[in-house]
Amino acid sequence: MKNPNIKKDIIDNFGNRLRTRVNGILIQEDKILMVKHQMGDNHYFWNVPGGGMQYGQDAKSNLKREFLEETGLEIEVGAYQFVHEFLSPPLHAIELFFEVSQTNGKLEVGIDPELETDKQVIEEVKFLSMEEIKNIPSDKKHALFGRINSLNDVRIWKGYFNFGNKCIK
């Protein structure tokens, strides 16, 4: 059963504060591992696995934990790639992106432990080709994936990005 209060739950759990998130880019057989999040009435959102950092735990440890929770996969964290700032009040996040490689585990739809069992948002986890990612509407995927044209783009991007933020003036 879908959560009719998902937007409120997201704001209650993640809004009105600055969050630091870690994200892992796992490429296998020319496909990127993506997670589909259910965000309410016919609205979903695709992104790579990742999530909020826990105080006192370094970025790589946080990313390993998030990956395991969301996908069932154990990973090795590789090179730091870039940072993206998401700002669309009441949500604000600094997102660190890393290359990762799978070391163990079996791919499965995981959970977000910050949300109650009956309020989970992860709907699907799968590897998508660049063509499949390009075919996802822009408003239904992380802004990053509306701007890449090849797997090589993901590997060579460096720096700071903030795609289409809706800042309060």
Side-chain angles (χ1 to χ4, degrees):
M1 179 178 162
K2 293 186 179 173
N3 178 2
N5 299 315
I6 190 67
K7 290 178 186 175
K8 180 184 181 314
D9 291 340
I10 289 169
I11 291 168
D12 289 349
N13 282 284
F14 308 116
N16 299 306
R17 61 187 170 105
L18 176 62
R19 295 184 72 220
T20 304
R21 298 185 75 250
V22 286
N23 300 274
I25 300 171
L26 176 59
I27 299 173
Q28 291 181 358
E29 299 176 13
D30 293 329
K31 294 182 177 187
I32 300 174
L33 183 62
M34 302 286 285
V35 176
K36 182 180 181 183
H37 299 86
Q38 183 54 244
M39 306 302 284
D41 301 327
N42 296 320
H43 183 67
Y44 59 88
F45 184 77
W46 286 93
N47 193 11
V48 293
M53 291 185 59
Q54 292 180 354
Y55 177 79
Q57 191 176 56
D58 65 54
K60 289 183 177 186
S61 297
N62 272 285
L63 185 51
K64 288 178 179 183
R65 174 185 47 77
E66 285 289 341
F67 233 87
L68 186 60
E69 290 169 354
E70 291 187 3
T71 70
L73 300 180
E74 294 178 23
I75 58 163
E76 183 64 37
V77 179
Y80 167 73
Q81 293 300 111
F82 53 87
V83 64
H84 176 260
E85 181 174 15
F86 176 80
L87 179 54
S88 182
L91 302 175
H92 188 187
I94 301 296
E95 302 175 305
L96 308 173
F97 284 80
F98 294 86
E99 272 188 46
V100 302
S101 58
Q102 180 181 348
T103 59
N104 206 353
K106 181 180 178 218
L107 187 62
E108 63 186 18
V109 175
I111 62 161
D112 186 333
E114 294 175 290
L115 298 173
E116 295 176 30
T117 304
D118 63 339
K119 296 180 180 181
Q120 291 296 308
V121 296
I122 298 173
E123 188 171 280
E124 191 173 355
V125 180
K126 69 179 184 177
F127 284 92
L128 298 176
S129 68
M130 283 305 307
E131 193 63 35
E132 290 170 311
I133 293 170
K134 286 179 184 180
N135 287 331
I136 299 170
S138 294
D139 66 330
K140 298 193 182 300
K141 61 187 168 190
H142 191 286
L144 160 73
F145 295 101
R147 288 163 173 81
I148 60 173
N149 295 306
S150 71
L151 292 175
N152 193 50
D153 286 351
V154 176
R155 292 180 174 116
I156 64 172
W157 278 17
K158 303 288 182 216
Y160 166 84
F161 302 95
N162 65 350
F163 299 121
N165 287 322
K166 298 173 182 135
C167 303
I168 297 174
K169 303 275 182 192

